[in-house]
Amino acid sequence: MRRTPVVLALVSALALAACSAPAEDDTRGESGSASPAGGGGNYAVITHGAPGDSFWDVVKNGAEAAGQEYGVTVTYQGDGDPAEQSQLIDQAVSGKADGIVVSMANPDALREAVGKAVAAKIPVVTINSGADSSKEFGAITHVGQSEDVAGRGAGEQLKAAGVTKLLCVIHEAGNIGLDQRCKGAEETLGGAVERLQVDVSNLADVTSKVTAKLQSDQAVNGVLALNPAVAVAARDAIKDSGSQAKLATFDLSADVVAAIQADEIMFAVDQQQYLQGYLPITFLHLYKNNLNTVGGGLPVNTGPGFVTKENAEQVAKLAEAGTR
């Protein structure tokens, strides 16, 4: 990806970022805030991440670090139910937030809520999912990775490793980004790709379902997880089934990095989710104070990159710090 000088300068500022205070409880999802003295803005981050999800914990860390850096208040909340997520957006609008950051795993379900924010002249930055709808909905930019491109990159690496039939494990029903990942892998693999629907909130069942599939269809010689917790469950399934299937995943956790180091996972597609928290707060802060916009109508890409055994040791230290 070609990086603009503006984005490079913003990314270099991460060295100064620090993690903020512990999260507060919320009845519908994890909630936390960073509100240092002398704050100059109030920003709401509302995602579809479930409480305790290691991926979204890192997004939250990035957003709160930016809040500390710029002296602004950042409140993070997550809910996997689009209706509940819409209500959280409505609450941020009613609370007169200076800006809203929202992930759009199900864009159509959030259209009305995001539209209310835009109509109220509250700048919106979308992250992670929903890039294709971001501009249409009136967001000032989108921060994330192209799921199609990332999927194609994963497919290329799996093909090079000899995978001819791939099981693509989808852990959230209705999440368009996950299907895009599978489609991208299908384009470049050159072999069959079968989707398996699982529930990320029941990892024991994930292991059971992947095990059953590998035992019933021994032609499957590759598994692509789309979530780090699902990747660990799939690793256990490969062991339980006695399969020789190669495993790869999207996104990082400390467990995934350790599994890469142990040759249990080939690679992880890294969308650098810390930046998906940090950069939107940066962009909203710049917009509020200087009317700056970033991206020129195009998404700001945070990936894909690939974590393999060659660079896993360095990434492991960063994962322990909560920034990868």
Side-chain angles (χ1 to χ4, degrees):
M1 179 186 71
R2 183 178 180 183
R3 299 181 183 274
T4 65
V6 170
V7 172
L8 286 172
L10 291 170
V11 173
S12 68
L14 292 174
L16 300 175
C19 292
S20 67
E24 301 171 2
D25 290 333
D26 181 84
T27 56
R28 288 175 296 180
E30 185 174 343
S31 173
S33 64
S35 52
N42 175 27
Y43 303 112
V45 182
I46 301 166
T47 76
H48 66 277
D53 187 307
S54 59
F55 177 91
W56 291 103
D57 285 346
V58 176
V59 175
K60 177 175 178 285
N61 289 344
E64 292 185 344
Q68 294 285 353
E69 177 71 19
Y70 301 118
V72 301
T73 297
V74 174
T75 301
Y76 177 96
Q77 292 175 292
D79 200 303
D81 182 338
E84 298 292 345
Q85 193 183 3
S86 293
Q87 288 187 18
L88 293 174
I89 296 170
D90 289 343
Q91 289 173 13
V93 173
S94 298
K96 302 187 184 303
D98 290 306
I100 298 174
V101 181
V102 59
S103 65
M104 300 199 302
N106 190 328
D108 289 341
L110 302 184
R111 180 189 295 270
E112 183 178 352
V114 172
K116 289 178 183 177
V118 173
K121 300 190 182 305
I122 297 174
V124 174
V125 174
T126 59
I127 63 170
N128 185 261
S129 300
D132 293 341
S133 301
S134 178
K135 186 175 181 180
E136 175 192 348
F137 286 12
I140 61 173
T141 195
H142 178 85
V143 179
Q145 73 176 0
S146 167
E147 305 292 13
D148 293 323
V149 172
R152 290 196 291 270
E156 288 172 353
Q157 294 210 29
L158 289 164
K159 180 179 181 179
V163 173
T164 55
K165 185 170 184 180
L166 179 67
L167 187 66
C168 193
V169 187
I170 297 178
H171 60 275
E172 289 175 352
N175 187 329
I176 60 171
L178 302 184
D179 189 59
Q180 288 171 337
R181 291 175 178 182
C182 292
K183 285 181 178 178
E186 193 169 14
E187 288 179 16
T188 53
L189 182 71
V193 176
E194 183 173 341
R195 291 159 176 76
L196 177 67
Q197 182 71 55
V198 299
D199 181 356
V200 70
S201 66
N202 188 345
L203 294 175
D205 190 56
V206 173
T207 298
S208 176
K209 286 184 176 178
V210 176
T211 299
K213 181 60 184 177
L214 293 174
Q215 289 176 334
S216 65
D217 187 354
Q218 296 185 11
V220 174
N221 60 353
V223 178
L224 180 60
L226 308 179
N227 169 279
V230 171
V232 174
R235 176 203 62 189
D236 295 342
I238 291 171
K239 291 179 180 179
D240 292 347
S241 65
S243 171
Q244 298 299 311
K246 299 182 185 300
L247 173 63
T249 187
F250 277 72
D251 304 328
L252 293 178
S253 70
D255 288 339
V256 164
V257 175
I260 292 172
Q261 291 176 296
D263 291 320
E264 296 171 332
I265 296 177
M266 286 178 55
F267 64 83
V269 182
D270 180 19
Q271 59 179 302
Q272 302 182 106
Q273 70 268 33
Y274 186 86
L275 296 180
Q276 294 178 22
Y278 191 94
L279 290 180
I281 301 303
T282 300
F283 296 162
L284 288 171
H285 180 67
L286 288 170
Y287 184 83
K288 179 178 185 291
N289 291 282
N290 208 43
L291 283 180
N292 291 125
T293 57
V294 179
L298 298 175
V300 176
N301 289 325
T302 62
F306 293 89
V307 176
T308 65
K309 193 170 184 179
E310 284 68 31
N311 61 359
E313 183 177 355
Q314 292 173 297
V315 174
K317 296 176 182 177
L318 298 171
E320 288 176 4
T323 61
R324 292 296 291 271

